[in-house]
Amino acid sequence: MSYDNVMMKRIERTHAPDGREVDVKPFLHLVEDILKRATSLTTSQAHAELKDKIQQINFVSMLDALSSTIHKISCEIAYNALSGTDASATTLSLFNMLRSYSWDAKLVLTLAAFTLNYGDFWLGRFEAINNLIKVMMDMTRFVVEFN
């Protein structure tokens, strides 16, 4: 088997949803908003506008419930990136952490964790990163709508 096929089989073995439902659309909108602001506004402007937006969103309790998971994923991504851990090992670790969630929830929660890390590097604003984020957002929207 090719490396991609082996990796796909490993990822599929980590998928064991437990039936819990996560409304990922509000998270996706929040992630989109954070990423848009990160590439176009100053930090203080973005924080002020984001704070106002969060206060208007009615899914705060769900965010509270999932914030620990998002934080764990964020730490895992950051640690593995800094330690030079193999991307495959990181991927499998994340999928194992998220084994009980649906595919779209896995994707949005991981994207939220990435956004948390990305927010720390707002001033970089590199074109390649912005293009990558655009592709990730397009793919995530497609998966959420497909699900």
Side-chain angles (χ1 to χ4, degrees):
M1 281 194 189
S2 74
Y3 174 78
D4 289 343
N5 288 338
V6 170
M7 189 65 179
M8 183 56 87
K9 293 292 182 194
R10 287 180 179 168
I11 289 171
E12 287 174 353
R13 284 194 297 265
T14 69
H15 186 61
D18 62 3
R20 82 180 83 176
E21 292 292 320
V22 177
D23 184 7
V24 297
K25 288 182 181 180
F27 281 103
L28 181 56
H29 294 300
L30 182 60
V31 167
E32 287 176 322
D33 195 48
I34 290 169
L35 292 173
K36 284 177 189 173
R37 293 174 194 298
T39 58
S40 65
L41 297 174
T42 67
T43 304
S44 59
Q45 288 173 317
H47 284 298
E49 290 183 21
L50 183 59
K51 184 178 177 184
D52 290 341
K53 179 114 177 159
I54 288 174
Q55 290 174 350
Q56 296 171 5
I57 299 174
N58 63 358
F59 72 100
V60 173
S61 62
M62 183 173 37
L63 182 59
D64 286 342
L66 293 173
S67 64
S68 174
T69 301
I70 294 169
H71 180 70
K72 287 177 187 174
I73 297 165
S74 176
C75 289
E76 184 77 9
I77 291 170
Y79 175 78
N80 289 339
L82 292 173
S83 68
T85 302
D86 177 59
S88 298
T90 301
T91 301
L92 288 174
S93 174
L94 295 176
F95 275 105
N96 278 316
M97 245 189 257
L98 296 167
R99 77 173 39 249
S100 61
Y101 293 94
S102 64
W103 288 111
D104 61 333
K106 289 177 201 230
L107 182 57
V108 173
L109 291 173
T110 303
L111 191 57
F114 170 79
T115 302
L116 188 62
N117 287 336
Y118 178 75
D120 291 336
F121 301 101
W122 284 15
L123 298 177
R125 292 183 191 173
F126 298 110
E127 176 108 13
I129 292 174
N130 290 338
N131 289 339
L132 174 63
I133 289 170
K134 182 186 180 319
V135 170
M136 289 182 347
M137 293 305 303
D138 290 345
M139 182 185 75
T140 301
R141 277 195 233 51
F142 175 77
V143 170
V144 168
E145 289 305 314
F146 181 76
N147 192 45

